Amino acid sequence: MPRQGSRRIRAVVRGVASPFNGVLKPPGDKSISHRALIFASLCEGVSKLSGLSFGQDVVATYNVLSKLGVNVSRDSVDHTLLTVHGEGPWSYKEPSDILEVENSGTLLRLMTGVLSGTNGHFVLTGDSSIVKRPMLRVVAPLREMGARIDGRQDGALAPISIRGSRLKGTKLDTKVPSAQVKSALLLAGLFAEGSTHVRERVRTRSHTEEFLAYLDIDHRSENQGGGREVVVHGLTSAPKPFNLSIPADPSQAAFFIGGALIAPGSEVTFKNLYLGEGRDAYLSVLRRMGANLDESRHVSDVFSSGDLKVSYSNLVATEIHQGEVPALIDEVPILATVACFAEGKTVFHGIEELRTKESDRVVTTTEMLRRFGARVESDDSTLTVYGDTTFSPKPCNVQSHGDHRIAMCAAIMATRVNGDTEIEDFNCVETSYNNFLGDLTRLWHGETFIA
Ligand code: S3P
């Protein structure tokens, strides 16, 4: 799958006082899409995936698997349909080239886990943001399992070089609450001799555990207080292939949910959103703020999903506690954007993990909101927004810092501006949402263009 254009573009959003109306099915869930591809490549036989995200992050997973010799083919008309001809967990070929994860931290961390126990030498690297993202959180516990991994600063930073080796099952505690770290260790555990125990103090999103259950892979997952322990055993045979329809991404819906909540007269229905544990916590925060959210859940035995109707709401401020953060980590920037329109002081506590994302999101969220005239304060681990229901953001020029979520938050804020907002490096939204501007214009009826 060829890389999409990497030229830098500036988007202009011309604010008009119009509501958000209509129905939206956002792109397939990104976390589930990555895992669906990786797990399908470990199965023996043909898996069919539909509703996949085709943002650049997931395309990178597709490309990495292809370089490892996995036969993956995409429907030439509907890019969300994919067929994976898996040849089992021991079938990856040593690639003749480096593996490019581009902007995807999830891909980098998950494949570091998988490749640690796979025969061959592999080098993983990515763009200018990926080479700054912390890797020791994954590399150190993998080394305890016997992995041979190197990288810049003794394995703390990509490029990461892996010499696949025999791993041994180990008892591990994750040092930071991170689904990427937990998933990397569990995936490595599938290639290890014996049992791998992964314990997290705060529960993080559970898609890897969902796939283990869905594919009948022997494992145990147990909630312990606010945390969880998951135990996996080295695979002795290939899992069976599967056909999966991937639900829509709640983290992508979050931008338009935010837009509808702050624009008087809005009403938008979101179809088939993933609503499982670990991803819907931001909806609870919005409910606390007084958001009108009407949810109807579908019955499903795999990935919980449902429809959600959202309408304009008079919002009030709230406090987001440290323990809530892992389950809404990707939604902090849009919650902060919405909080500018909520009466009172909204405080996000314990958000230091936000500093390790595609950009330092404590800094870039603060800077972006201030450009619009919002009153925001932040330090190492706290973000405070002083909101006002009559807040009227001002026209400005905003840097996305190449971070898709910052760019999309800026576009939503820009819909409430009386005038033009310029958003730099807007093409980074393709990381996760190819047709973001198209969906924005369709739901909001305002004017957007590329300058
Ligand atoms: C993800 C986990 C989260 C999230 C990322 C996707 C995943 O990262 O920020 O966008 O798919 O496991 P951490 O759990 O490492 O914070």
Side-chain angles (χ1 to χ4, degrees):
M1 188 79 185
R3 222 186 158 285
Q4 289 159 7
S6 55
R7 87 202 150 88
R8 297 184 162 194
I9 60 167
R10 170 190 294 156
V12 179
V13 179
R14 181 154 291 166
V16 285
S18 81
F20 284 68
N21 284 117
V23 177
L24 179 69
K25 182 167 185 290
D29 187 82
K30 186 153 76 73
S31 292
I32 299 177
S33 295
H34 282 302
R35 286 165 176 83
L37 280 166
I38 293 171
F39 273 103
S41 76
L42 303 180
C43 293
E44 206 165 78
V46 178
S47 295
K48 287 189 185 296
L49 312 175
S50 61
L52 214 78
S53 158
F54 63 101
Q56 198 56 44
D57 270 11
V58 175
V59 172
T61 298
Y62 172 105
N63 287 338
V64 162
L65 291 174
S66 301
K67 275 196 177 172
L68 289 166
V70 180
N71 181 348
V72 203
S73 52
R74 198 151 212 160
D75 188 279
S76 55
V77 180
D78 180 353
H79 282 178
T80 73
L81 282 179
L82 230 123
T83 305
V84 183
H85 300 256
E87 291 184 27
W90 303 278
S91 62
Y92 289 170
K93 314 272 181 312
E94 185 180 69
S96 56
D97 201 354
I98 58 163
L99 301 169
E100 260 292 338
V101 304
E102 303 195 10
N103 190 242
S104 176
T106 306
L107 175 57
L108 176 63
R109 271 70 176 256
L110 266 52
M111 285 315 286
T112 299
V114 175
L115 296 174
S116 291
T118 305
N119 270 336
H121 177 223
F122 311 93
V123 179
L124 293 158
T125 195
D127 67 8
S128 57
S129 138
I130 236 28
V131 295
K132 292 190 203 127
R133 298 188 67 179
M135 284 303 286
L136 266 190
R137 50 182 58 198
V138 181
V139 170
L142 287 173
R143 281 177 178 158
E144 279 185 55
M145 295 175 74
R148 291 186 299 163
I149 308 179
D150 214 335
R152 285 189 306 132
Q153 296 181 19
D154 193 25
L157 296 172
I160 290 291
S161 152
I162 303 164
R163 282 187 188 281
S165 50
R166 269 180 90 82
L167 304 179
K168 52 183 186 313
T170 308
K171 291 195 168 173
L172 303 161
D173 288 298
T174 56
K175 299 284 178 283
V176 285
S178 161
Q180 294 180 359
V181 174
K182 172 181 64 181
S183 303
L185 304 181
L186 292 174
L187 286 163
L190 297 179
F191 290 86
E193 214 178 313
S195 314
T196 301
H197 300 236
V198 182
R199 223 167 43 192
E200 55 183 4
R201 265 175 295 146
V202 183
R203 278 198 287 286
T204 62
R205 60 181 77 186
S206 54
H207 305 308
T208 299
E209 295 94 304
E210 287 169 327
F211 270 100
L212 294 172
Y214 176 53
L215 297 179
D216 256 336
I217 296 175
D218 189 14
H219 78 291
R220 180 169 59 76
S221 172
E222 198 178 276
N223 289 348
Q224 297 177 339
R228 173 180 290 144
E229 184 180 51
V230 189
V231 183
V232 289
H233 313 285
L235 287 171
T236 48
S237 59
K240 294 218 167 52
F242 57 98
N243 292 342
L244 181 66
S245 165
I246 292 161
D249 196 324
S251 305
Q252 307 303 99
F255 301 103
F256 294 111
I257 292 174
L261 288 173
I262 62 176
S266 297
E267 186 178 291
V268 181
T269 300
F270 297 87
K271 300 300 267 184
N272 200 31
L273 294 185
Y274 174 79
L275 291 174
E277 188 205 13
R279 298 294 296 287
D280 63 349
Y282 77 96
L283 296 175
S284 309
V285 170
L286 289 173
R287 282 195 183 95
R288 277 202 316 260
M289 296 174 80
N292 296 319
L293 305 177
D294 185 5
E295 187 178 296
S296 73
R297 293 205 170 228
H298 306 158
V299 182
S300 156
D301 50 353
V302 203
F303 298 101
S304 317
S305 62
D307 299 342
L308 184 74
K309 190 163 84 183
V310 181
S311 44
Y312 168 72
S313 307
N314 255 318
L315 300 173
V316 290
T318 188
E319 295 216 11
I320 291 95
H321 304 285
Q322 182 165 21
E324 291 180 285
V325 171
L328 49 76
I329 188 82
D330 290 343
E331 288 78 45
V332 172
I334 187 64
L335 285 174
T337 306
V338 168
C340 296
F341 300 84
E343 199 60 44
K345 183 168 114 177
T346 294
V347 190
F348 298 82
H349 299 277
I351 53 166
E352 49 274 21
E353 265 303 296
L354 229 61
R355 313 196 80 112
T356 69
K357 296 296 176 187
E358 286 84 331
S359 67
D360 176 340
R361 285 191 182 145
V362 177
V363 171
T364 51
T365 304
T366 306
E367 182 199 297
M368 181 268 295
L369 296 176
R370 282 185 181 158
R371 299 289 291 183
F372 286 101
R375 207 177 133 213
V376 184
E377 289 164 4
S378 55
D379 59 28
D380 273 359
S381 61
T382 315
L383 182 82
T384 306
V385 179
Y386 296 86
D388 179 347
T389 47
T390 61
F391 176 57
S392 170
K394 59 179 194 207
C396 58
N397 174 286
V398 192
Q399 286 297 332
S400 68
H401 296 281
D403 185 330
H404 54 135
R405 299 201 199 277
I406 299 298
M408 290 187 274
C409 285
I412 294 300
M413 180 67 109
T415 63
R416 305 306 307 150
V417 170
N418 187 5
D420 284 0
T421 303
E422 297 171 347
I423 309 167
E424 304 294 344
D425 272 354
F426 197 77
N427 44 312
C428 62
V429 301
E430 285 170 10
T431 295
S432 59
Y433 205 141
N434 303 70
N435 191 29
F436 177 81
L437 274 189
D439 284 345
L440 177 66
T441 355
R442 185 172 61 78
L443 292 177
W444 165 65
H445 313 294
E447 202 183 329
T448 62
F449 52 93
I450 301 301

